[in-house]
Amino acid sequence: MSDDADDDWFEDALRDEETEETTDSAAESEGEGDDDAFDDWSEGDGPDDGEPFDGSGNDTGFDDSTDAEEFGATSGTDADADEESGGESAFGDTGSGDDSPFGDTGNSSGSAFGDVGTGDDSPFGDAGDGDGGGFGDGDGGELFDDDFSDAMGGMGGDTDFEDDDFESDIPRLDLGIEGLDNMVQGGIPLRHLIVIVGGAGTGKTTFGLQFLQHGLEKEDTDCGVFITLEQTHEDIMATARERGWEFERHEAEGNLAVVDLDPVEMANSLDNIRGELPELIEDFGADRFVLDSVSLLEMMYDDVSRRRTEVFDFTQSLKDAGVTTVLTSEANEDNPYASRHGIIEYLTDAVFLLRYVRSETQETRLAVEIQKIRNANHSRETKPYEITMDGISVYEQANIF
C-alpha cells in the first residue's frame, strides 16, 4: 500500500473521530450524554425524575411518543393501521376469517386463539383499567391491592368447599371404601382410570377387590372384571371368601369374571389383548375393571420408551372400553410417593397413595392420601386407615399421630 493511501486512511479515521466527538458534545449540551443513559435517572434528572421502570405509569424512559417511535414502539392506533394494511405474521395469516392456522376461531379480533378480550384490550381479558397493564390497577399498585379473597372472587382461605360448588353433569360412582368416599366429594367420575400406588402389604389388592364388591352388592348391580398377574384364580376367590364376599355366586350369575394371566404371556400377546379387551368388556357388560398389577406389565419392557408406549396404549384401550378402572402399582423403592417406574400416575385420571408412616417412637401406621383426581374435588389431607376382615377402613376424622 502506498504512503498516500495510508495517509488517506488515517485522515478518514481522524475525521470519523472528530464527527463522533462533535456528536457526543452536542448530546451532552442537551443533557442526554454523560457516561450512562441511566445515570441521569438515578440522580433525578430523567423524565419525570423517576426510575425508568419504577411502575409509576409513564416513567418508561421514553419522554414522548416521538422517542418511543424512534425505538420501533407503536401506539394502539398505529398497530391497528398495520393490521389493516396486511402486516404478515410469522405463523401465516392469523387474522379473522377462515384462513387462521388454528381453524375458525369464531371472532373477528384477529387473535389466533379466539376471542380472548374485548376489542383492543389485553389478550388476557380485562386485567385492569387499561392504563396500568395486565397486572396492576393502572396507578403503579401491587397485583393484589385489594383483599386477596376479593381478588380471587371471594374464595378466601376461610371459605370451606361445599359440594354445591362442584356440582357436575359427569356421572359418578363410589369406591365402596368407608371414609375414603367422603374424602372424594361427589364420587369418582365414571370411566376414570384410577391407580393405587403402594408398597408391599399396604392393601392394594384388597382395595381392588373391595371396589368390585361394592359394585356387586348394589341394588343395580355393577358387573366387574378382575385380572390378576400376581395370584391364581383360587387365591383371589379364597381371599374374597375369607371376607364373606360371595365372589363364587356372582361369578356363577355372570356378574363377575376373575382371570389370572401370566405377565410374560400377557406382554407377548399384549397387542391382541389390547385390541380385544374393549370388545370383551363391552360384551360382558362390565362397569368396573381391576388389573393387579400394572407394575409386572411394565417390568416386561427394558426399554423406557417402549415401556411408556405400551402402557400408554394399554390405558387408552381401557378408556376406549368406557369402563371405570382400578390399576394397582408398586411404589418406588426410594420414593413412596411415586410408582416403580414413574409412568402410570401420568397416564391415569386419579392417583391414591397407600404407605407406611412411622412416628418418632417407631410406631407404624398405614396412611392414605389422594394425589389427584381429575374433574373432582377431594381432600388433600393424609389419613390413617386399617385393613380388617371387612376390608379397608379410612379414619377421616383422625390424624396421623
Side-chain angles (χ1 to χ4, degrees), residues 61-85:
F62 298 110
D63 288 352
D64 49 35
S65 59
T66 302
D67 289 340
E69 289 171 358
E70 290 178 1
F71 288 88
T74 2
S75 65
T77 305
D78 292 335
D80 293 339
D82 287 344
E83 284 190 13
E84 293 176 0
S85 64

PDB file of all heavy atoms in Angstrom, residues 61-85:
ATOM      1  N   GLY A  61     -38.800   5.773  30.365  1.00  0.00           N
ATOM      2  CA  GLY A  61     -37.569   6.088  29.654  1.00  0.00           C
ATOM      3  C   GLY A  61     -37.839   6.733  28.313  1.00  0.00           C
ATOM      4  O   GLY A  61     -36.939   7.247  27.691  1.00  0.00           O
ATOM      5  N   PHE A  62     -39.064   6.736  27.841  1.00  0.00           N
ATOM      6  CA  PHE A  62     -39.443   7.424  26.613  1.00  0.00           C
ATOM      7  C   PHE A  62     -40.205   8.685  27.014  1.00  0.00           C
ATOM      8  O   PHE A  62     -41.268   8.603  27.612  1.00  0.00           O
ATOM      9  CB  PHE A  62     -40.335   6.541  25.733  1.00  0.00           C
ATOM     10  CG  PHE A  62     -39.662   5.288  25.280  1.00  0.00           C
ATOM     11  CD1 PHE A  62     -40.065   4.055  25.786  1.00  0.00           C
ATOM     12  CD2 PHE A  62     -38.608   5.344  24.381  1.00  0.00           C
ATOM     13  CE1 PHE A  62     -39.431   2.899  25.377  1.00  0.00           C
ATOM     14  CE2 PHE A  62     -37.988   4.182  23.963  1.00  0.00           C
ATOM     15  CZ  PHE A  62     -38.388   2.962  24.462  1.00  0.00           C
ATOM     16  N   ASP A  63     -39.652   9.852  26.641  1.00  0.00           N
ATOM     17  CA  ASP A  63     -40.284  11.092  27.080  1.00  0.00           C
ATOM     18  C   ASP A  63     -41.640  11.287  26.421  1.00  0.00           C
ATOM     19  O   ASP A  63     -42.571  11.764  27.021  1.00  0.00           O
ATOM     20  CB  ASP A  63     -39.378  12.286  26.743  1.00  0.00           C
ATOM     21  CG  ASP A  63     -38.151  12.322  27.653  1.00  0.00           C
ATOM     22  OD1 ASP A  63     -38.117  11.514  28.609  1.00  0.00           O
ATOM     23  OD2 ASP A  63     -37.274  13.145  27.403  1.00  0.00           O
ATOM     24  N   ASP A  64     -41.741  10.943  25.180  1.00  0.00           N
ATOM     25  CA  ASP A  64     -42.992  11.165  24.474  1.00  0.00           C
ATOM     26  C   ASP A  64     -43.102  10.145  23.370  1.00  0.00           C
ATOM     27  O   ASP A  64     -42.260   9.282  23.208  1.00  0.00           O
ATOM     28  CB  ASP A  64     -43.067  12.598  23.910  1.00  0.00           C
ATOM     29  CG  ASP A  64     -41.806  12.970  23.137  1.00  0.00           C
ATOM     30  OD1 ASP A  64     -41.238  12.046  22.488  1.00  0.00           O
ATOM     31  OD2 ASP A  64     -41.395  14.139  23.168  1.00  0.00           O
ATOM     32  N   SER A  65     -44.160  10.284  22.599  1.00  0.00           N
ATOM     33  CA  SER A  65     -44.413   9.311  21.548  1.00  0.00           C
ATOM     34  C   SER A  65     -43.331   9.362  20.478  1.00  0.00           C
ATOM     35  O   SER A  65     -43.062   8.370  19.813  1.00  0.00           O
ATOM     36  CB  SER A  65     -45.789   9.567  20.914  1.00  0.00           C
ATOM     37  OG  SER A  65     -45.838  10.868  20.368  1.00  0.00           O
ATOM     38  N   THR A  66     -42.679  10.518  20.332  1.00  0.00           N
ATOM     39  CA  THR A  66     -41.638  10.623  19.310  1.00  0.00           C
ATOM     40  C   THR A  66     -40.469   9.726  19.655  1.00  0.00           C
ATOM     41  O   THR A  66     -39.945   8.994  18.826  1.00  0.00           O
ATOM     42  CB  THR A  66     -41.172  12.082  19.182  1.00  0.00           C
ATOM     43  OG1 THR A  66     -42.284  12.899  18.872  1.00  0.00           O
ATOM     44  CG2 THR A  66     -40.107  12.194  18.078  1.00  0.00           C
ATOM     45  N   ASP A  67     -40.020   9.781  20.950  1.00  0.00           N
ATOM     46  CA  ASP A  67     -38.917   8.928  21.381  1.00  0.00           C
ATOM     47  C   ASP A  67     -39.288   7.473  21.233  1.00  0.00           C
ATOM     48  O   ASP A  67     -38.473   6.645  20.856  1.00  0.00           O
ATOM     49  CB  ASP A  67     -38.562   9.224  22.841  1.00  0.00           C
ATOM     50  CG  ASP A  67     -37.885  10.590  22.963  1.00  0.00           C
ATOM     51  OD1 ASP A  67     -37.374  11.069  21.937  1.00  0.00           O
ATOM     52  OD2 ASP A  67     -37.895  11.141  24.083  1.00  0.00           O
ATOM     53  N   ALA A  68     -40.506   7.146  21.588  1.00  0.00           N
ATOM     54  CA  ALA A  68     -40.931   5.745  21.515  1.00  0.00           C
ATOM     55  C   ALA A  68     -40.895   5.242  20.088  1.00  0.00           C
ATOM     56  O   ALA A  68     -40.513   4.112  19.823  1.00  0.00           O
ATOM     57  CB  ALA A  68     -42.338   5.593  22.084  1.00  0.00           C
ATOM     58  N   GLU A  69     -41.299   6.117  19.165  1.00  0.00           N
ATOM     59  CA  GLU A  69     -41.340   5.689  17.779  1.00  0.00           C
ATOM     60  C   GLU A  69     -39.946   5.460  17.238  1.00  0.00           C
ATOM     61  O   GLU A  69     -39.730   4.632  16.358  1.00  0.00           O
ATOM     62  CB  GLU A  69     -42.075   6.717  16.930  1.00  0.00           C
ATOM     63  CG  GLU A  69     -43.585   6.752  17.203  1.00  0.00           C
ATOM     64  CD  GLU A  69     -44.253   7.909  16.523  1.00  0.00           C
ATOM     65  OE1 GLU A  69     -43.537   8.713  15.872  1.00  0.00           O
ATOM     66  OE2 GLU A  69     -45.485   8.033  16.635  1.00  0.00           O
ATOM     67  N   GLU A  70     -38.930   6.214  17.787  1.00  0.00           N
ATOM     68  CA  GLU A  70     -37.565   6.003  17.348  1.00  0.00           C
ATOM     69  C   GLU A  70     -37.094   4.590  17.648  1.00  0.00           C
ATOM     70  O   GLU A  70     -36.216   4.052  16.997  1.00  0.00           O
ATOM     71  CB  GLU A  70     -36.642   7.014  18.022  1.00  0.00           C
ATOM     72  CG  GLU A  70     -36.856   8.444  17.503  1.00  0.00           C
ATOM     73  CD  GLU A  70     -35.953   9.427  18.219  1.00  0.00           C
ATOM     74  OE1 GLU A  70     -35.178   8.976  19.081  1.00  0.00           O
ATOM     75  OE2 GLU A  70     -36.001  10.616  17.907  1.00  0.00           O
ATOM     76  N   PHE A  71     -37.650   3.968  18.672  1.00  0.00           N
ATOM     77  CA  PHE A  71     -37.262   2.613  19.061  1.00  0.00           C
ATOM     78  C   PHE A  71     -38.241   1.580  18.530  1.00  0.00           C
ATOM     79  O   PHE A  71     -38.286   0.468  19.014  1.00  0.00           O
ATOM     80  CB  PHE A  71     -37.171   2.501  20.590  1.00  0.00           C
ATOM     81  CG  PHE A  71     -35.968   3.222  21.144  1.00  0.00           C
ATOM     82  CD1 PHE A  71     -36.041   4.557  21.473  1.00  0.00           C
ATOM     83  CD2 PHE A  71     -34.770   2.550  21.296  1.00  0.00           C
ATOM     84  CE1 PHE A  71     -34.940   5.214  21.973  1.00  0.00           C
ATOM     85  CE2 PHE A  71     -33.657   3.213  21.801  1.00  0.00           C
ATOM     86  CZ  PHE A  71     -33.741   4.552  22.132  1.00  0.00           C
ATOM     87  N   GLY A  72     -39.067   1.917  17.604  1.00  0.00           N
ATOM     88  CA  GLY A  72     -39.955   0.946  16.987  1.00  0.00           C
ATOM     89  C   GLY A  72     -41.239   0.715  17.729  1.00  0.00           C
ATOM     90  O   GLY A  72     -41.976  -0.193  17.409  1.00  0.00           O
ATOM     91  N   ALA A  73     -41.525   1.504  18.782  1.00  0.00           N
ATOM     92  CA  ALA A  73     -42.784   1.314  19.510  1.00  0.00           C
ATOM     93  C   ALA A  73     -43.927   1.842  18.681  1.00  0.00           C
ATOM     94  O   ALA A  73     -43.793   2.819  17.966  1.00  0.00           O
ATOM     95  CB  ALA A  73     -42.715   2.043  20.856  1.00  0.00           C
ATOM     96  N   THR A  74     -45.048   1.209  18.793  1.00  0.00           N
ATOM     97  CA  THR A  74     -46.220   1.619  18.021  1.00  0.00           C
ATOM     98  C   THR A  74     -47.393   1.830  18.933  1.00  0.00           C
ATOM     99  O   THR A  74     -47.605   1.042  19.827  1.00  0.00           O
ATOM    100  CB  THR A  74     -46.601   0.576  16.970  1.00  0.00           C
ATOM    101  OG1 THR A  74     -45.748  -0.497  17.068  1.00  0.00           O
ATOM    102  CG2 THR A  74     -46.624   1.138  15.582  1.00  0.00           C
ATOM    103  N   SER A  75     -48.146   2.836  18.717  1.00  0.00           N
ATOM    104  CA  SER A  75     -49.344   3.046  19.517  1.00  0.00           C
ATOM    105  C   SER A  75     -50.418   2.100  19.073  1.00  0.00           C
ATOM    106  O   SER A  75     -50.300   1.438  18.054  1.00  0.00           O
ATOM    107  CB  SER A  75     -49.817   4.498  19.361  1.00  0.00           C
ATOM    108  OG  SER A  75     -50.228   4.720  18.031  1.00  0.00           O
ATOM    109  N   GLY A  76     -51.492   2.039  19.862  1.00  0.00           N
ATOM    110  CA  GLY A  76     -52.602   1.163  19.503  1.00  0.00           C
ATOM    111  C   GLY A  76     -53.155   1.515  18.134  1.00  0.00           C
ATOM    112  O   GLY A  76     -53.514   0.655  17.343  1.00  0.00           O
ATOM    113  N   THR A  77     -53.215   2.818  17.804  1.00  0.00           N
ATOM    114  CA  THR A  77     -53.767   3.241  16.515  1.00  0.00           C
ATOM    115  C   THR A  77     -52.884   2.766  15.381  1.00  0.00           C
ATOM    116  O   THR A  77     -53.351   2.256  14.369  1.00  0.00           O
ATOM    117  CB  THR A  77     -53.898   4.775  16.472  1.00  0.00           C
ATOM    118  OG1 THR A  77     -54.679   5.189  17.584  1.00  0.00           O
ATOM    119  CG2 THR A  77     -54.539   5.225  15.162  1.00  0.00           C
ATOM    120  N   ASP A  78     -51.531   2.930  15.577  1.00  0.00           N
ATOM    121  CA  ASP A  78     -50.616   2.504  14.527  1.00  0.00           C
ATOM    122  C   ASP A  78     -50.665   1.009  14.340  1.00  0.00           C
ATOM    123  O   ASP A  78     -50.548   0.493  13.231  1.00  0.00           O
ATOM    124  CB  ASP A  78     -49.192   2.940  14.870  1.00  0.00           C
ATOM    125  CG  ASP A  78     -49.033   4.449  14.827  1.00  0.00           C
ATOM    126  OD1 ASP A  78     -49.824   5.109  14.102  1.00  0.00           O
ATOM    127  OD2 ASP A  78     -48.126   4.959  15.479  1.00  0.00           O
ATOM    128  N   ALA A  79     -50.817   0.265  15.457  1.00  0.00           N
ATOM    129  CA  ALA A  79     -50.886  -1.197  15.359  1.00  0.00           C
ATOM    130  C   ALA A  79     -52.111  -1.612  14.571  1.00  0.00           C
ATOM    131  O   ALA A  79     -52.069  -2.539  13.765  1.00  0.00           O
ATOM    132  CB  ALA A  79     -50.915  -1.828  16.751  1.00  0.00           C
ATOM    133  N   ASP A  80     -53.239  -0.914  14.819  1.00  0.00           N
ATOM    134  CA  ASP A  80     -54.454  -1.231  14.084  1.00  0.00           C
ATOM    135  C   ASP A  80     -54.261  -0.940  12.595  1.00  0.00           C
ATOM    136  O   ASP A  80     -54.728  -1.689  11.730  1.00  0.00           O
ATOM    137  CB  ASP A  80     -55.629  -0.421  14.612  1.00  0.00           C
ATOM    138  CG  ASP A  80     -55.981  -0.843  16.030  1.00  0.00           C
ATOM    139  OD1 ASP A  80     -55.604  -1.959  16.407  1.00  0.00           O
ATOM    140  OD2 ASP A  80     -56.643  -0.049  16.717  1.00  0.00           O
ATOM    141  N   ALA A  81     -53.554   0.158  12.327  1.00  0.00           N
ATOM    142  CA  ALA A  81     -53.334   0.514  10.933  1.00  0.00           C
ATOM    143  C   ALA A  81     -52.487  -0.542  10.252  1.00  0.00           C
ATOM    144  O   ALA A  81     -52.697  -0.882   9.095  1.00  0.00           O
ATOM    145  CB  ALA A  81     -52.664   1.893  10.841  1.00  0.00           C
ATOM    146  N   ASP A  82     -51.485  -1.067  10.998  1.00  0.00           N
ATOM    147  CA  ASP A  82     -50.638  -2.110  10.429  1.00  0.00           C
ATOM    148  C   ASP A  82     -51.442  -3.338  10.090  1.00  0.00           C
ATOM    149  O   ASP A  82     -51.211  -4.001   9.073  1.00  0.00           O
ATOM    150  CB  ASP A  82     -49.519  -2.474  11.416  1.00  0.00           C
ATOM    151  CG  ASP A  82     -48.462  -1.376  11.497  1.00  0.00           C
ATOM    152  OD1 ASP A  82     -48.441  -0.520  10.595  1.00  0.00           O
ATOM    153  OD2 ASP A  82     -47.683  -1.392  12.447  1.00  0.00           O
ATOM    154  N   GLU A  83     -52.381  -3.715  10.993  1.00  0.00           N
ATOM    155  CA  GLU A  83     -53.203  -4.886  10.721  1.00  0.00           C
ATOM    156  C   GLU A  83     -54.028  -4.681   9.467  1.00  0.00           C
ATOM    157  O   GLU A  83     -54.172  -5.570   8.633  1.00  0.00           O
ATOM    158  CB  GLU A  83     -54.121  -5.181  11.898  1.00  0.00           C
ATOM    159  CG  GLU A  83     -53.399  -5.815  13.065  1.00  0.00           C
ATOM    160  CD  GLU A  83     -54.386  -6.315  14.100  1.00  0.00           C
ATOM    161  OE1 GLU A  83     -55.586  -6.385  13.768  1.00  0.00           O
ATOM    162  OE2 GLU A  83     -53.957  -6.621  15.214  1.00  0.00           O
ATOM    163  N   GLU A  84     -54.596  -3.461   9.341  1.00  0.00           N
ATOM    164  CA  GLU A  84     -55.444  -3.200   8.192  1.00  0.00           C
ATOM    165  C   GLU A  84     -54.634  -3.174   6.911  1.00  0.00           C
ATOM    166  O   GLU A  84     -55.134  -3.458   5.831  1.00  0.00           O
ATOM    167  CB  GLU A  84     -56.186  -1.874   8.374  1.00  0.00           C
ATOM    168  CG  GLU A  84     -57.206  -1.922   9.519  1.00  0.00           C
ATOM    169  CD  GLU A  84     -57.840  -0.578   9.740  1.00  0.00           C
ATOM    170  OE1 GLU A  84     -57.490   0.375   9.008  1.00  0.00           O
ATOM    171  OE2 GLU A  84     -58.694  -0.465  10.641  1.00  0.00           O
ATOM    172  N   SER A  85     -53.330  -2.818   7.036  1.00  0.00           N
ATOM    173  CA  SER A  85     -52.514  -2.743   5.836  1.00  0.00           C
ATOM    174  C   SER A  85     -51.983  -4.094   5.428  1.00  0.00           C
ATOM    175  O   SER A  85     -51.240  -4.216   4.476  1.00  0.00           O
ATOM    176  CB  SER A  85     -51.345  -1.783   6.077  1.00  0.00           C
ATOM    177  OG  SER A  85     -50.509  -2.299   7.102  1.00  0.00           O
TER     178      SER A  85
END
